Amino acid sequence: LGKEGLVIVGGVAAGLAAAMEARRASPEMPIKVFERTGDISYGACGLPYVVAGLIPSLESLILHTPEYFREQHGIEVRTGCEALELLPSKSVVRVRMHVEKREVGYDALILATGAAALCPPLPGHELEGVFVLRHMRDGRRLLRFIEETRPRTCAVVGAGYIGLEMAEAFRARGLRATLVESSETVMSALGGRARDIVAEEMRAHGVEVIFGERVVGFESNAAGRVARVLTGSGRAFEADLVSIGVGVRPEVALARDAGLEIGESGAILTDERQRTSAPGVYAAGDCCEVLHRVSGRRVWHPLGQPAVRQGWVAGANAASSDVSVEARYAGVVGTTVVKVFGLEAARTGLSLEEARSAGFDAAEVESESASRAGYYPGASKIYTRLVTDRTGRLLGAQMVGREGVAQRVDVYAAALHAGMKVEELERLDLAYAPPFAPTIDPIIRAAHAAMKKS
Ligand SMILES: Cc1cc2nc3c(=O)[nH]c(=O)nc-3n(C[C@H](O)[C@H](O)[C@H](O)COP(=O)(O)OP(=O)(O)OC[C@H]3O[C@@H](n4cnc5c(N)ncnc54)[C@H](O)[C@@H]3O)c2cc1C
C-alpha cells in the first residue's frame, strides 16, 4: 500500500482483528483505527456476566488499550472519532475527531462498524430504566442504574441468547425476573421439547417465562422511571428495570450512503475476501453478511467468532496488493451456544423450518441419551434434534443438556462444514470414558436414530 495506508472504522472485534492481521502482513504500513465511542478492544460477550456480578468490573472485559496498539504494534487507534462519510471515488473518509472535522485519505479501508441493538419505539421506551445492551457504555449505564436505584423487579423482553443470559444475570443480582417472548421459541429456533427444557430450567430458578405475548408499552412511576410493562393481551406487570433483547441491526449507514452494495439481509455485501463492491473497501464483522454453507445463501450472522475471523481475512487482503494472497472466509454454519443456569443449549445449521424455507425436503428426528455411562455418578440427559434431507445429509442440530453439549455441538458444526451425511457421522470414532460419555456417544445415537428414519 502507499503512504496513506490502511484506515479501519470500528475498534472492537472485527476492526482490531483486521488491524493486527494487516500489521502482520505489512510491518511498515500506516494503520489508523477510528472508533466513535470511548471504548475499544473489549469482549461484549462478557457484559451479562458483569451484570450478574460474576466478573467484578467492566474493565475486566478490556483486552488492550490504544497505547498498547500504538507502542507495541505502531497502530494508531483514535477513540471519540466518528467516520461521517465515505467517498470511495476519492479514497477519502470524512471524520469528526471530538469537535474537529477533517478528511483522511486511504489506500485501503475496512468497515468494521458492527451492529446496533434494536429498541422498538413502543410507548415509554425512552423511560429511565429501559435498557438495551450492546456496547460498553450500555453496560456502564445499566450498572449505574442498578447501583443508584436498587431495582427489585425486572422484565427481559426477548428470549434470544442475550435475553436468556440477562434473565439469569438479574436473578443472580436477586431481582424478580419476568421474561416475555412474542414467539413460541427461544434463541429464535429452539422450539418444542428443547424450548420446554430451557423454560423449565428458567422457571426452576425463579424466572417467570411468558411465550406468545408481545410487549406493547411501558409505564412510569411518580419519579418518571419505568415501573410497569404492558403486553398485547392486556396484562401488566411490575418492573423497576427493563432489558430489551429483541435483536440487532447492521450498522450500514456509511456503506449505504457511499453507494456500496447492500445484500438482501440488509448487511454489507462482501465476497469471500471480504471485498465490498467499491475498490479498495473491505468490510468485516457484524456489519456484513456471510455465506451460510448449509443453505448456500448469504445471510446475516452477527457473532463474535465470525467477526474476528472476517477481520483477519479483511486485514490480510487489505494490507497486500498481492492478488495471490489466499485469505478467504469460508462462511458459517450458524453455530450458537448459551448457558441457561445449569443448562447448555446449542444449535448449529438449519432448523426444520429454515431448511424447508431454503428448499430442502427436510425431516427431523429427536433422541435422548445420557451424558455419562449409566453407572457413573452424575449422569444427566442430553436431548438432541437432528435435521436431515432425504439423502441423509445433515442440515442442522439442536442440543440441550446439563453437560457435554457446548463441545459436542462442535462435532455437528464440523460435520455441517464438511457436508457429511448422518451415516458418516455414525461411523465417527469419538472419545469415550465413563465420566464423559456413555459407550455409544449421544452424537452416534442421534445419527443412528436419524439413519433409521431416513
Ligand atoms: C451482551 C452480548 C453478548 C454477546 N455474546 C456473544 C457470545 O456469547 N458469542 C458470540 O459469538 N457473540 C456474542 N456477542 C456478539 C459479539 O459481541 C459481536 O458479534 C461482536 O462484538 C461483533 O464485533 P464487530 O467488531 O463486528 O462489531 P461491534 O462490536 O459492534 O463493534 C463495532 C464498533 O464500530 C464502531 N462504529 C460504528 N460506526 C462507526 C463510525 N461511523 N465511526 C467510528 N466508529 C464506528 C462502534 O461504535 C463499535 O464500537 C454478544 C454481544 C452482546 C452485546
Side-chain angles (χ1 to χ4, degrees):
L1 294 187
K3 69 177 175 37
E4 305 278 26
L6 173 63
V7 166
I8 298 171
V9 184
V12 191
L16 292 172
M20 291 298 284
E21 195 61 23
R23 175 54 77 231
R24 272 189 279 277
S26 174
E28 302 300 332
M29 171 182 61
I31 303 177
K32 300 184 196 87
V33 180
F34 299 142
E35 167 56 51
R36 67 180 167 199
T37 69
D39 304 298
I40 62 148
S41 186
Y42 60 89
C45 314
L47 288 169
Y49 305 101
V50 182
V51 175
L54 185 70
I55 295 168
S57 72
L58 288 174
E59 282 60 46
S60 314
L61 303 181
I62 298 171
L63 278 96
H64 297 300
T65 60
E67 292 69 41
Y68 164 84
F69 286 103
R70 187 178 62 244
E71 288 160 16
Q72 304 288 318
H73 301 286
I75 296 169
E76 192 189 330
V77 180
R78 296 278 184 91
T79 56
C81 179
E82 181 170 18
L84 301 172
E85 192 181 5
L86 173 61
L87 304 166
S89 58
K90 293 164 71 182
S91 295
V92 154
V93 58
R94 290 206 175 107
V95 300
R96 177 172 44 218
M97 296 191 192
H98 302 288
V99 286
E100 183 200 346
K101 287 188 185 168
R102 68 163 80 148
E103 288 195 348
V104 179
Y106 62 80
D107 296 307
L109 180 128
I110 299 174
L111 291 171
T113 47
L118 289 174
C119 183
L122 299 172
H125 76 279
E126 71 296 333
L127 285 171
E128 195 192 344
V130 179
F131 295 91
V132 294
L133 190 66
R134 172 71 199 181
H135 298 301
M136 279 289 247
R137 57 183 174 194
D138 303 322
R140 239 175 252 125
R141 283 187 205 131
L142 177 57
L143 288 170
R144 198 180 315 123
F145 180 84
I146 293 176
E147 294 267 290
E148 288 174 4
T149 70
R150 307 268 162 206
R152 289 178 307 106
T153 55
C154 73
V156 176
V157 185
Y161 74 94
I162 293 179
L164 299 176
E165 289 175 349
M166 291 309 291
E168 181 173 348
F170 292 131
R171 286 299 296 141
R173 285 252 170 191
L175 276 73
R176 249 180 32 232
T178 306
L179 176 75
V180 192
E181 164 60 47
S182 60
S183 78
E184 294 295 336
T185 61
V186 295
M187 292 166 78
S188 75
L190 285 195
R193 179 83 189 108
R195 195 278 317 253
D196 292 345
I197 298 170
V198 171
E200 278 158 26
E201 180 73 0
M202 302 202 79
R203 289 181 181 125
H205 286 85
V207 181
E208 191 185 337
V209 186
I210 304 171
F211 288 110
E213 200 151 333
R214 198 169 281 282
V215 169
V216 294
F218 311 102
E219 285 179 352
S220 64
N221 60 14
R225 284 202 292 267
V226 73
R228 262 173 313 283
V229 174
L230 312 175
T231 71
S233 69
R235 200 192 301 221
F237 57 89
E238 203 189 301
D240 306 328
L241 186 164
V242 174
S243 173
I244 298 187
V246 296
V248 284
R249 62 166 173 78
E251 285 273 15
V252 297
L254 265 185
R256 191 192 299 112
D257 294 351
L260 270 58
E261 210 171 321
I262 304 295
E264 268 179 33
S265 71
I268 303 170
L269 187 77
T270 62
D271 66 7
E272 58 189 353
R273 291 170 185 252
Q274 300 301 135
R275 292 180 294 203
T276 70
S277 57
V281 180
Y282 299 75
D286 282 7
C287 62
C288 61
E289 41 174 58
V290 287
L291 172 72
H292 195 295
R293 291 176 65 93
V294 182
S295 68
R297 292 178 173 173
R298 298 205 71 85
V299 298
W300 190 48
H301 184 68
L303 281 175
Q305 205 180 77
V308 169
R309 296 183 48 203
Q310 288 163 36
W312 289 343
V313 172
N317 286 315
S320 175
S321 47
D322 179 358
V323 285
S324 67
V325 167
E326 268 307 308
R328 289 165 198 267
Y329 186 63
V332 298
V333 293
T335 313
T336 339
V337 62
V338 64
K339 171 185 171 303
V340 187
F341 295 97
L343 280 183
E344 301 172 13
R347 63 161 298 193
T348 185
L350 306 175
S351 67
L352 184 64
E353 296 70 31
E354 288 165 344
R356 286 184 174 156
S357 87
F360 290 103
D361 183 8
E364 67 180 5
V365 59
E366 298 182 1
S367 58
E368 232 170 34
S369 175
S371 62
R372 310 178 185 191
Y375 51 80
Y376 194 89
S380 55
K381 288 237 165 75
I382 293 182
Y383 165 87
T384 305
R385 187 192 287 161
L386 294 189
V387 181
T388 58
D389 73 5
R390 297 289 166 195
T391 71
R393 179 186 159 196
L394 183 71
L395 299 174
Q398 301 169 14
M399 297 180 92
V400 183
R402 300 207 164 269
E403 60 176 9
V405 165
Q407 261 61 49
R408 273 194 181 89
V409 79
D410 286 340
V411 174
Y412 290 122
L416 288 168
H417 207 86
M420 284 168 74
K421 294 189 169 187
V422 279
E423 63 187 68
E424 294 171 292
L425 255 178
E426 202 236 18
R427 281 188 233 129
L428 291 178
D429 177 24
L430 300 178
Y432 161 65
F436 307 113
T439 332
I440 301 296
D441 192 273
I443 289 174
I444 310 287
R445 192 167 293 286
H448 196 74
M451 276 168 67
K452 282 203 293 195
K453 187 157 181 189
S454 60

